[in-house]
């Protein structure tokens, strides 16, 4: 089998180009997750995850399946880590950003080549909405106006 000059370097670059965008997305998703202010949905998630399994099963009969899946996942994360905190409730969002960035990077590689895929994947985490533009902090409804 003939040796192609620079093939090893290209293979390493392709591997780095494939993993760099999701890692960038994960790091940016986790960055700032230790802020002390919890949002209403995070407080509800922490409250549900602290319930007993029978109490959670009773609740799951009254909520949407998507929320139920999230609550079960966070319950299991809380059990594995000795309880939930604000950081752990925000990690699934960071992982979702990394998965989305990986998908965009893959799609960019299919449509425009390796460089385009890597560039699009690395830029996409910077294009997400600012924190707090769609959710309200855990304050009284009278202060929302």
């Amino acid at each position: 089998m003939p040796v192609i000059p620079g093939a090893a370097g290209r293979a390493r670059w392709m591997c780095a180009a494939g993993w760099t965008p999701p890692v960038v997305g994960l790091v940016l998703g986790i960055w700032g997750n230790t802020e002390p202010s919890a949002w209403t949905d995070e407080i509800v998630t922490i409250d549900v995850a602290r319930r007993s399994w029978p109490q959670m099963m009773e609740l799951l009969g009254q909520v949407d399946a998507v929320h139920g899946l999230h609550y079960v996942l966070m319950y299991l994360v809380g059990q594995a880590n000795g309880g939930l905190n604000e950081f752990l409730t925000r990690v699934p969002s960071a992982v979702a950003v990394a998965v989305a960035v990986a998908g965009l990077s893959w799609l960019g590689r299919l449509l425009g080549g390796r460089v385009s895929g890597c560039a699009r994947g690395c830029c996409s985490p910077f294009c997400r909405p600012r924190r707090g533009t769609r959710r309200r902090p855990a304050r009284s409804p009278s202060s929302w106006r």
Side-chain angles (χ1 to χ4, degrees), residues 12-25 98 101-102 105 109 118 122:
R12 280 193 299 265
W13 188 87
M14 286 176 54
C15 183
W19 284 103
T20 300
V23 169
V24 168
V101 167
S105 178
R109 280 195 305 273
C118 186
C122 285

Side-chain angles (χ1 to χ4, degrees), residues 69-92:
L69 180 63
H70 175 71
Y71 292 149
V72 169
L73 171 71
M74 297 312 291
Y75 174 81
L76 296 173
V77 168
Q79 294 297 314
N81 292 307
L84 279 180
N85 55 28
E86 293 169 12
F87 178 80
L88 288 176
T89 59
R90 295 171 181 164
V91 168

